[in-house]
């Protein structure tokens, strides 16, 4: 697993890791869906594309995760593969295979309401890339 939960009052704090900035963003999307649903039950029936822009890496990550979260909140779409992320300095484009939520087959574990800027950090360390994100649950 390329993320871990850290203690945070009332919200959900997550540390995310990646060997590259692209992998970090892939793992961030994975963390959102892994925390919300049982990913093993989601199949690739169609593909959705999102794109986001930001003035810096932190802003880009928040805007990207808001788009990722909107796929479920706005369209009812669950993602099953998180590997198709293309990064530029201030822009990210991702293609996500998955399917629409089916209450007969899918179970939501928890609701993530929003991505926040609280304690947000994206940085390069000696072990690779790391992000700190707090979600409103």
């Amino acid at each position: 697993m390329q993320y871990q939960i850290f203690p945070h009052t009332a919200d959900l704090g997550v540390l995310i890791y990646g060997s590259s900035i692209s992998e970090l963003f892939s793992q961030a999307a994975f963390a959102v869906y892994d925390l919300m649903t049982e990913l093993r039950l989601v199949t690739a029936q169609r593909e959705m594309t999102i794109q986001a822009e930001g003035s810096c890496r932190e802003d880009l990550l928040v805007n990207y995760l808001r788009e990722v979260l909107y796929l479920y909140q706005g369209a009812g779409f669950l993602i099953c593969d998180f590997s198709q992320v293309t990064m530029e300095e201030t822009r990210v484009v991702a293609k996500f295979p998955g399917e629409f939520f089916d209450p007969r087959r899918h179970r939501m574990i928890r609701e993530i309401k929003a991505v926040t800027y609280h304690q947000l950090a994206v940085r390069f360390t000696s072990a690779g890339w790391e992000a700190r994100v707090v979600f409103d649950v």
Side-chain angles (χ1 to χ4, degrees):
M1 193 176 326
Q2 294 293 314
Y3 74 92
Q4 64 186 49
I5 296 172
F6 65 86
H8 193 280
T9 55
D11 291 325
L12 179 64
V14 181
L15 289 171
I16 305 155
Y17 308 99
S19 59
S20 67
I21 191 73
S22 178
E23 183 180 333
L24 179 72
F25 275 61
S26 295
Q27 292 300 324
F30 169 80
V32 168
Y33 279 81
D34 190 49
L35 291 165
M36 286 194 315
T37 191
E38 294 180 48
L39 287 176
R40 64 182 177 76
L41 300 176
V42 182
T43 61
Q45 294 183 7
R46 65 179 304 175
E47 185 176 86
M48 298 286 232
T49 300
I50 65 160
Q51 50 187 318
E53 295 182 0
S55 59
C56 62
R57 287 190 179 110
E58 288 81 5
D59 191 43
L60 182 59
L61 181 61
V62 167
N63 292 338
Y64 166 74
L65 288 176
R66 285 177 175 164
E67 292 294 324
V68 166
L69 194 53
Y70 180 77
L71 282 179
Y72 175 70
Q73 291 176 336
F77 191 77
L78 296 173
I79 301 169
C80 66
D81 181 352
F82 304 86
S83 63
Q84 299 178 46
V85 176
T86 305
M87 299 288 307
E88 295 175 12
E89 189 67 28
T90 60
R91 185 170 184 261
V92 60
V93 176
K95 295 180 181 180
F96 294 123
E99 65 180 315
F100 289 102
F101 178 76
D102 179 347
R104 294 169 296 168
R105 294 188 308 107
H106 303 122
R107 183 176 72 89
M108 298 312 290
I109 298 168
R110 74 173 47 88
E111 179 184 8
I112 295 178
K113 296 177 187 175
V115 185
T116 74
Y117 280 95
H118 182 66
Q119 296 184 347
L120 178 67
V122 177
R123 64 188 183 118
F124 184 76
T125 70
S126 59
W129 286 92
E130 178 182 290
R132 181 181 184 96
V133 181
V134 174
F135 297 102
D136 180 15
V137 292

